[in-house]
Amino acid sequence: MAKIRKKKYQDSNVLNAAIERMRYLYDSFDNVEIGFSGGKDSTVVLNIAIKVAREKNKLPVIANFYDEEAIHPTTIEYVERVKNNPDVKLNWYCLEFKHRNASSNDEPYWYTWDKDKEHLWVRDRPIDSITKHKKFYKGLSFQEFTSLRADKSLGTTVDVTGVRTQESLRRHMAVSRKVNDNYISRYGHFAIAHPIYDWSSQDVWKLVNEWDLDYNKTYDIFNKTELNGKFLTQRVCPPFGEEPLRGLWIYAECFPDLWHKMINRVAGVATAWRYANTELYGVGGIQKPDNLSWKEYLKYIVDTYSGKEKKYVIENVNYYIKLHQTRAKDSIHDIEASPLTGISYRWLCKIAHKGDFKGRQMPDNERAGAMKRLDITQDDAVRIYGNEKYKREYFGN
């Protein structure tokens, strides 16, 4: 695996760079479509697109909103306002998308606007929303549908998102591995672009203020709670995934009418609301029986799953075990994280406990903590703990 390149700052400010990227997208693709979530990042991307489309006489901007059903009322109000903007043609999709339900091992997925559970929907489906598409079938993720929806007969299409690398190391790694056009991923006639990938949350809110943009007022509600000013934890996204689960209390506290319907929408939500920020859900570490090692406890956790979910957890755990084995000269320690890989059996228990069906858990914090305790750099960790083959690959010898 290649080393992560350090961020390089250039003379151009992030706004000018994003505008130039958007111009390039409009010049290079037959169809430019904005993946609009209603969040602050896609708001900025949409408005930069409007500016560039106006320059190039290509208004209205095409935007696609995938309605995830269990979302804040203030988000719906904002999307309605965007839909009424004459500079935007908004496609409002209400389809049976597959989403993670991290609150239950028995039912690890749920489907938005599930026709079989219409009596449990948390709100009415918008009257003029798109409820059918010739390329959609129940169980697709919206990412999969986005790529399938692109019609090759209409030329090249780029889906433009508000993904920013500041939000996670995983995103930074995905973008930084590419040498050229590192904000574009191409797949034949279809591409995905992230023109604000190098922005900070402060950059986003600065533009909202300077351009006097309309925005999702859910953020104002966030800022009246303990999330005030915590930009990286203020998320407008489906509520039942591994990461959003920790924010279920926001719905209970700030949107009680919606919350009372959410409790019955998917399995395990009421329990997750009470315990999502405790060790029961792998937050702040988990506890094991005293008579078991972490390696032994790992097998116990895996056996709590069944079917394809168990198969996935086993594959995920085995991936990290193999990753450690291909790099380190020492075996995985039961408790202590490896300074080279960050992996221990205790950490493997944590990811098995969470399920991590989206592959978002990475041992980077554990690795960084181990290096800090030992006061060594990444290069030092490779020299001291790496096997000979990995050292040759890493240092290029």
Side-chain angles (χ1 to χ4, degrees), residues 286 288 293-299 301 317 344-355:
I286 59 177
K288 66 171 181 62
S293 67
W294 285 103
K295 185 176 182 179
E296 293 167 336
Y297 188 47
L298 177 60
K299 183 179 185 304
I301 295 172
V317 167
S344 66
Y345 278 107
R346 178 166 60 180
W347 183 80
L348 290 172
C349 284
K350 184 175 181 179
I351 66 163
H353 188 72
K354 286 191 172 186

Side-chain angles (χ1 to χ4, degrees), residues 66 68 70-71 99-100 110 112 142 235-245 251 358:
Y66 301 122
E68 294 158 331
I71 51 182
H99 280 291
R100 175 76 167 104
W110 71 292
T112 59
F142 71 84
R235 293 180 177 272
V236 179
C237 58
F240 308 123
E242 280 114 348
E243 296 172 11
L245 207 64
Y251 292 86
K358 289 191 174 182

Side-chain angles (χ1 to χ4, degrees), residues 2 21 28 54 80 191-192 206 208 220 233 284-285 290 307 335 342 365:
R21 291 166 189 156
S28 303
R54 182 175 290 115
E80 287 281 5
I192 301 174
K206 181 179 180 182
V208 170
D220 293 344
T233 54
D290 292 337
I335 300 173
N365 289 337

Side-chain angles (χ1 to χ4, degrees), residues 1-4 173 177 319-331 338-343 362-364 367 378 381-394:
M1 177 178 170
K3 291 181 287 185
I4 301 173
M173 290 173 66
R177 288 190 186 115
Y319 167 81
Y320 286 110
I321 290 175
K322 185 176 180 180
L323 178 68
H324 181 89
Q325 291 172 340
T326 57
R327 295 184 181 184
K329 62 183 180 183
D330 298 326
S331 300
S338 164
L340 180 63
T341 65
I343 295 169
M362 299 181 71
D364 298 283
R367 179 170 58 86
Q378 180 173 314
V382 175
R383 291 190 185 96
I384 299 169
Y385 299 97
N387 60 42
E388 292 303 318
K389 181 180 179 182
Y390 183 62
K391 283 192 281 190
R392 288 194 298 270
E393 292 175 352
Y394 183 91

